[in-house]
Amino acid sequence: MAEIHYLGEIATGYGFPENKLCVRYKIKYGAAWKLISGNKDGQTQTDWPQDEDEANFNHFMDLHFGARGIQGWPQIMIQVYLVDSNGRRVLYGYGSSILPITAGYEEVEIGTWRPADQSIRGRLKSYLLDSSPELAEPETIISSATQQRQQLAAEAMGYVKIKFYTVLRNFKKYGIET
Amino acid sequence: MSKIAGSSFSISVRGHISHAELPMLRGMDLMCKYSYEIGSDWVVAAGLEEGFSQRCTSGTEEFVFNLPMDCTFKSTNPSGWPRIVIELIGQDNFNQDQPRGFCWALVPPIPGSRKIKTAIYLPQASSKMQALSHWFTGNAVNFTDPKIIARSNGREMTRVQSVGYITIQFDVTASGLSKFGYDFGNNT
């Protein structure tokens, strides 16, 4: 069985209207893959940076996969939240990325978006409360190019940077090239 | 040491913690303390598991530690790869030690030299009552065990404030990796 280790961290979030952020993540993978060890989902700390625009999450990721096929390569789906001084958590963005496929160091920068209500009421709400409509079932929409995306109006939000070191094992033995 | 049966690979971590930049602590003093967090398949084979720096006073926002690291680990599994956990400690007006910042950094799994700059943060009080009590006693909020920041579990309850950056130079050598069939990629 070919194996992959992903060692890294969900590092920073930047480019959002406010910088008081936390990130929830979930790893999605196909039937040919098995998560041998590591957390399939989780949530980072919340950072309220003092001076900078960048919020730091410094969240350790340690995933060990076993693979019997290339289909269904693992993806990470993220949801960024604004955590304001009243303790409210407001959805600030959805995003996803495939996990790195080459051995070595890679910085994955995920651009995030969130649904936008373009009506007057929606825009007023967004301006006053920072909030937006949320997806009822985010997972299928975030991680694939489904038809449902055509029906969405969305606004661009900031970026989340994830730093990965990828370690491959037995890939050459099974003839997989990356 | 006896739990590593059979052959294992070993990672030797050298390098140093170079300096920290904390704008709010200009003119004060700062000391750096580090330790390692490792997974259950790892053991420390040789070297220093912890380090303490000198007390550094700086007129600018840059505090130079130049604190060497020297530790060798042995394992059979890349999961649980060593992370260095850093604690910055300073003295307040009453000469009491107060935490001034925390962070962790992953020892680069690619053998070679690498300079890392990572953010430092301080935990914040979780309720207004706790914040008031800390303000009253003059003690900064602290983690009960700094190593928890380097684990993936239980981080969602923490609220922090980023206060600066720290620069670390890692020089990592490894032996026995190819015997296990691992491909770590190139150091580019």
Side-chain angles (χ1 to χ4, degrees), chain A residues 5 7 9 37 39 43-48 50 56-60 62 64 103-105 165 167-170, chain B residues 24 77-80 83 104 109 114 119 121 150 152-153 155-156 158-162 180-184:
Chain A
H5 286 267
L7 299 162
E9 62 169 313
S37 73
N39 290 328
Q43 184 177 321
T44 69
Q45 66 192 15
T46 304
D47 184 22
W48 287 14
Q50 205 165 53
N56 294 290
F57 307 119
N58 202 208
H59 188 93
F60 183 48
D62 183 357
H64 181 190
Y105 178 67
Y165 289 91
V167 183
L168 304 177
R169 189 183 193 195
N170 294 334
Chain B
M24 293 298 284
N77 184 5
S79 278
R83 289 138 271 163
W104 66 267
R114 196 167 263 269
Y121 44 87
S152 335
N153 294 319
R155 307 281 273 119
E156 59 268 13
T158 330
R159 196 159 67 69
V160 302
Q161 180 172 67
S162 292
F180 277 72
Y182 286 114
D183 176 11
F184 282 74

Side-chain angles (χ1 to χ4, degrees), chain A residues 64-79:
Chain A
H64 181 190
F65 285 101
R68 292 189 190 286
I70 313 180
Q71 277 289 2
W73 196 285
Q75 291 178 305
I76 183 168
M77 299 181 290
I78 58 168
Q79 297 185 21

Side-chain angles (χ1 to χ4, degrees), chain B residues 25-101:
Chain B
L25 293 185
R26 186 184 288 260
M28 299 176 76
D29 60 356
L30 204 62
M31 183 198 117
C32 174
K33 181 179 157 197
Y34 73 81
S35 55
Y36 294 97
E37 166 71 4
I38 54 179
S40 52
D41 286 333
W42 289 76
V43 286
V44 176
L48 291 171
E49 269 183 86
E50 282 190 333
F52 300 85
S53 78
Q54 69 279 15
R55 193 171 327 131
C56 168
T57 310
S58 177
T60 66
E61 62 189 41
E62 204 170 279
F63 297 86
V64 175
F65 301 116
N66 194 218
L67 180 62
M69 301 182 289
D70 182 1
C71 197
T72 305
F73 302 93
K74 263 191 154 91
S75 177
T76 53
N77 184 5
S79 278
W81 197 275
R83 289 138 271 163
I84 190 168
V85 179
I86 294 174
E87 217 181 310
L88 298 178
I89 301 166
Q91 294 206 318
D92 63 10
N93 290 329
F94 301 105
N95 285 339
Q96 300 276 17
D97 279 343
Q98 298 292 342
R100 294 292 188 215

